[in-house]
Amino acid sequence: MKFIDITMPLNNETPPWPGDEPFEYKLTWSMEDTGSVNVGQFKGSNHIGTHVDAPYHYDSAGLKIADLPVGRFSGQALVVSVKDHSVITKKLLEDIDLSKVSKVLFHTDSWKDRTRFPDPYTVIGEDVGPFLKQHDIDLIGIDTPSVDPETSKELKGHHTLYQNDILILEGIDLSPVSPGIYELFAFPLKMEQADGSPVRAVLRTIDAS
């Protein structure tokens, strides 16, 4: 078994959602200042890079990130290739065996240059939530900044998943990953007031024996 990191690096060049707070790291104190340690600080949107959404992100009455059961962020996950499609629909998924997993990760390959915010990128269709719920899927991941278009106000992708109790992991990097079943770990920070959180998303290969 081995681990595969599917997390975008966070640095001062990581592209934020247009108009949102960019990531910034800087030293508060240097070793020259303290004589013993470097101490840094960071700031940025909860939705920059690889992150999970809390329901509060798209429903003011929804759960915040620390309220979500931590077990929802790990488990058997199927990596599915859905390249060359602008929208992921139920029809694209009907022939896929989801019986052995609780999470699905979509490799769209529509965010090729991670130094820039993509336009356009692949999104989730509104018939996907009910279909995945029927197959006991409780989390999806996607290699784009969002499950909805940048200009969307209706957020049909978010709400089809939310209405079917499916959590959302966005901004993963599946370029080093082949389709198949893995074990996913993508734990958010325990921020009690937050609408989302960056994560360190990692896949572990499963021993076929």
Side-chain angles (χ1 to χ4, degrees), residues 87-100:
V87 181
I88 299 169
T89 63
K90 172 185 173 181
K91 185 176 180 180
L92 282 178
L93 308 178
E94 286 178 330
D95 294 331
I96 296 173
D97 182 4
L98 300 173
S99 63
K100 298 178 182 179

Side-chain angles (χ1 to χ4, degrees), residues 85 107-113 118-123 143-144:
H85 294 280
H107 186 188
T108 74
D109 200 32
S110 62
W111 190 358
K112 297 181 185 295
D113 181 0
D119 182 27
Y121 52 84
T122 302
V123 298
D143 60 353
T144 67

Side-chain angles (χ1 to χ4, degrees), residues 8-203:
M8 288 179 62
L10 287 176
N11 55 53
N12 292 2
E13 274 69 59
T14 302
W17 189 269
D20 201 359
E21 187 74 25
F23 180 84
E24 180 186 6
Y25 174 84
K26 63 181 180 180
L27 284 178
T28 307
W29 300 321
S30 69
M31 290 188 69
E32 288 74 16
D33 297 324
T34 66
S36 56
V37 292
N38 292 311
V39 178
Q41 62 175 291
F42 64 89
K43 67 175 182 177
S45 170
N46 291 333
H47 300 273
I48 195 167
T50 305
H51 65 278
V52 293
D53 291 347
Y56 178 61
H57 180 46
Y58 33 84
D59 177 2
S60 293
L63 295 176
K64 298 177 182 178
I65 202 70
D67 299 324
L68 297 170
V70 70
R72 292 286 298 274
F73 300 101
S74 69
Q76 302 282 93
L78 178 66
V79 174
V80 176
S81 176
V82 286
K83 299 178 184 179
D84 303 318
H85 294 280
S86 59
V87 181
I88 299 169
T89 63
K90 172 185 173 181
K91 185 176 180 180
L92 282 178
L93 308 178
E94 286 178 330
D95 294 331
I96 296 173
D97 182 4
L98 300 173
S99 63
K100 298 178 182 179
V101 299
S102 60
K103 292 124 190 10
V104 181
L105 308 180
F106 296 114
H107 186 188
T108 74
D109 200 32
S110 62
W111 190 358
K112 297 181 185 295
D113 181 0
R114 295 289 174 123
T115 67
R116 301 176 61 186
F117 190 88
D119 182 27
Y121 52 84
T122 302
V123 298
I124 296 289
E126 57 187 312
D127 61 355
V128 168
F131 174 78
L132 293 180
K133 179 68 172 180
Q134 291 174 0
H135 292 271
D136 297 321
I137 300 301
D138 67 5
L139 178 147
I140 68 101
I142 195 165
D143 60 353
T144 67
S146 176
V147 297
D148 282 297
E150 178 194 344
T151 57
S152 174
K153 298 300 182 184
E154 295 178 315
L155 300 181
K156 293 180 180 179
H158 283 85
H159 285 290
T160 185
L161 298 167
Y162 179 41
Q163 290 162 8
N164 290 280
D165 193 26
I166 298 170
L167 298 180
I168 301 170
L169 167 65
E170 296 167 327
I172 54 178
D173 179 5
L174 293 173
S175 59
V177 182
S178 299
I181 296 177
Y182 301 82
E183 191 171 5
L184 170 70
F185 305 90
F187 298 113
L189 300 176
K190 194 173 183 179
M191 296 186 287
E192 292 186 343
Q193 298 168 300
D195 55 290
S197 173
V199 300
R200 186 68 178 263
V202 176
L203 297 178

